[in-house]
Amino acid sequence: MRFASLGSGSRGNALLVESATTRVLIDAGFGPREILRRLERLGVDAGEVDAVLVTHEHSDHIGGVAACARRFGWSVLLTHGTLAAGRGADAGMAATVIDSHDAVSVGDLCVQPFPVPHDAREPVQFVVTDGARRLGVLTDAGHVTPHMVAMLASCDGLVLECNHDLRMLAQGSYPQMLKHRIGGLWGHLDNEAAASLLAQVRHAGLRHVVAAHLSEENNSPDLARRALSAVLGCESDWIGIATQEQGFAWRDL
Ligand SMILES: [Zn+2]
Ligand SMILES: [Zn+2]
């Protein structure tokens, strides 16, 4: 099993997970042309993607889903709330409504959704496994719940939101209301919150930790790396960064 990112941040997210026979995307926050360009970078044809799993209806996650699903024949898996809230997301695409607590199979991958606190209708994040390895993905959550910790424990790879640095957000130029939204309980995880989550789920077998959904205004890769590496006691370079433009290259689990 391996995984890669097509890009991550407030201007679009998409993460590719591949097993021996199956490829799924988590979110498609880019339009079809951009998705094609980014998939090509990873050596993947759009027709080789089996399904897209949608975390929630914010446009940086669902923006390209309907158009890509129609054009490339992808099936779409999403919660009832995300389907209901995602304007036009259901037009002409093959959507399967999933329960936010029930695992579903896509080819030889098992996908376990879990609910997260975020300002969307029914947001979920995912743990994906091929039976041998587990990848935990968390890109949008306002705070860490015990259920999230339970779901992300014993993963071989973790992609964790490090949205902002608290000080940079407080001192930055965003309007006060937006600062409250981002830093609030249904907003986004800051570096220290992500670090405290990592402290609760870390184990000796963890092979990859990648920081994702970094704010270009209120964070830096260096600060995110420092927060997560302090928990693991590793070199800060060992922590990966999912960038907005490049995402990150294939990583083997
Ligand atoms: Zn969101
Ligand atoms: Zn987002």
Side-chain angles (χ1 to χ4, degrees):
M1 189 171 154
R2 60 180 188 161
F3 65 106
S5 169
L6 280 65
S8 181
S10 59
R11 289 186 287 115
N13 294 272
L15 185 106
L16 191 57
V17 187
E18 180 184 276
S19 65
T21 64
T22 307
R23 283 192 190 90
V24 296
L25 267 184
I26 296 180
D27 291 326
F30 307 101
R33 194 185 310 165
E34 193 61 21
I35 285 276
L36 279 176
R37 191 177 73 81
R38 290 171 186 249
L39 281 173
E40 195 174 38
R41 242 170 19 205
L42 298 168
V44 173
D45 258 16
E48 297 171 326
V49 173
D50 297 286
V52 55
L53 318 165
V54 186
T55 58
H56 63 298
E57 70 272 24
H58 291 161
S59 61
D60 55 321
H61 300 267
I62 206 171
V65 167
C68 289
R70 280 197 302 269
R71 176 146 165 209
F72 307 132
W74 298 346
S75 53
V76 180
L77 287 78
L78 72 188
T79 63
H80 176 73
T82 300
L83 180 62
R87 277 169 300 156
D90 55 344
M93 66 183 197
T96 301
V97 171
I98 57 171
D99 185 286
S100 58
H101 290 279
D102 290 349
V104 289
S105 292
V106 182
D108 65 358
L109 288 173
C110 177
V111 177
Q112 175 68 63
F114 57 97
V116 293
H118 188 55
D119 52 4
R121 189 80 68 86
E122 193 183 357
V124 289
Q125 296 287 325
F126 298 104
V127 171
V128 182
T129 176
D130 64 353
R133 303 284 185 186
R134 285 162 63 84
L135 173 67
V137 177
L138 175 70
T139 57
D140 295 61
H143 62 280
V144 175
T145 66
H147 186 55
M148 285 159 58
V149 172
M151 297 308 295
L152 293 171
S154 68
C155 285
D156 303 282
L158 289 170
V159 176
L160 295 181
E161 167 165 57
C162 287
N163 180 262
H164 56 279
D165 171 74
L166 281 176
R167 204 169 52 94
M168 283 180 78
L169 179 67
Q171 295 174 356
S173 64
Y174 279 14
Q176 209 56 33
M177 251 178 67
L178 186 55
K179 288 183 182 182
H180 278 137
R181 199 218 125 213
I182 292 170
L185 288 174
W186 282 266
H188 291 279
L189 284 190
D190 72 272
N191 294 338
E192 291 311 319
S196 90
L197 168 60
L198 181 58
Q200 295 176 74
V201 299
R202 71 177 167 188
H203 60 93
L206 202 48
R207 297 161 67 96
H208 299 278
V209 176
V210 182
H213 216 300
L214 273 70
S215 164
E216 292 171 305
E217 176 96 12
N218 301 310
N219 207 356
S220 74
D222 193 44
L223 286 171
R225 279 202 172 102
R226 242 188 280 167
L228 298 186
S229 63
V231 171
L232 299 178
C234 64
E235 295 292 328
S236 68
D237 279 359
W238 189 80
I239 304 292
I241 299 286
T243 66
Q244 183 70 78
E245 290 309 321
Q246 298 295 319
F248 57 83
W250 286 114
R251 287 174 169 244
D252 287 311
L253 269 177

